[in-house]
Amino acid sequence: MMSFDDFWTIYEEAFPPDERRDIEAQLKIMEREEYYLKTFYGENGLVGFITYWDLGKILFIEHLAIEKSQRGGGYGGKMMKELMESFKEYYFLLEVEPPTDEISKKRIKFYEKLGFQLNAFDYLQPSYGNGKDPVEMKLMSYPKLIGLGEEKEVVEKIYLGVYQIS
């Protein structure tokens, strides 16, 4: 059984403040029926997690994180493949930082190995709350790129479903 504290420790360590909720907002969002937290365990406890939203045939992966000492062990790929296998009929979306440094380029390559594609259009991740800035991001999608002219509709679906803004 996962303790919220174990999840929160990994979550806070893995994401900068502008790319995550504060604890009150996180606890509130976990009550939403379309929000899911999938945890993964190894011999020594919680290895990592994926949080995602079921937006009706679109699965929006919000956060994927591996406990610091477990990184590089293939857990992230295994976790993603398991999720993708469970939702074969879904279209997958996720946000990544633009490829401007080694870490962001490595992250994009990780998702590309799983079949995701980097969409060319600009995307702004809305603010996660008071005192948090919106973040320039890119959207990656699987199994194909977001169709020409569909960008606005897809972004609106994310903004409304995940960030509750229109």
Side-chain angles (χ1 to χ4, degrees):
M1 176 75 185
M2 178 203 78
S3 90
F4 181 82
D5 290 343
D6 292 342
F7 155 75
W8 192 252
T9 299
I10 297 172
Y11 181 73
E12 277 197 311
E13 187 276 319
F15 299 99
D18 285 338
E19 294 179 31
R20 59 177 155 85
R21 293 181 183 83
D22 61 30
I23 196 163
E24 294 81 16
Q26 182 62 37
L27 288 166
K28 187 172 183 191
I29 216 82
M30 290 172 82
E31 296 171 6
R32 303 250 321 262
E33 66 180 38
E34 64 275 30
Y35 178 85
Y36 297 86
L37 166 60
K38 185 167 178 55
T39 52
F40 296 83
Y41 290 87
E43 291 174 17
N44 300 320
L46 185 62
V47 169
F49 64 84
I50 299 176
T51 62
Y52 62 93
W53 294 82
D54 185 339
L55 303 176
K57 294 297 176 197
I58 292 177
L59 203 78
F60 179 79
I61 298 166
E62 187 171 22
H63 292 104
L64 163 65
I66 305 298
E67 201 278 323
K68 208 174 196 171
S69 68
Q70 303 290 323
R71 291 184 190 151
Y75 289 112
K78 285 180 197 152
M79 290 163 49
M80 283 296 297
K81 286 175 189 162
E82 190 176 303
L83 186 67
M84 292 164 78
E85 190 64 30
S86 299
F87 291 90
K88 281 183 181 155
E89 69 285 0
Y90 276 65
Y91 187 75
F92 286 76
L93 294 168
L94 56 86
E95 301 163 339
V96 291
E97 291 93 352
T100 55
D101 61 21
E102 276 314 300
I103 292 173
S104 56
K105 289 174 184 172
K106 194 174 167 185
R107 188 171 292 123
I108 289 167
K109 276 194 174 70
F110 165 80
Y111 288 114
E112 285 175 340
K113 283 183 193 165
L114 293 165
F116 280 80
Q117 296 180 55
L118 186 65
N119 289 275
F121 63 90
D122 292 328
Y123 171 81
L124 189 65
Q125 174 191 286
S127 166
Y128 266 109
N130 289 341
K132 295 181 186 267
D133 292 324
V135 181
E136 288 290 333
M137 294 280 200
K138 289 287 188 183
L139 284 177
M140 293 191 80
S141 53
Y142 172 88
K144 61 183 176 55
L145 290 169
I146 295 168
L148 209 56
E150 294 178 346
E151 302 97 331
K152 190 173 189 274
E153 181 186 337
V154 169
V155 170
E156 282 176 3
K157 200 168 193 102
I158 294 168
Y159 279 14
L160 196 58
V162 176
Y163 298 100
Q164 298 177 314
I165 58 169
S166 50

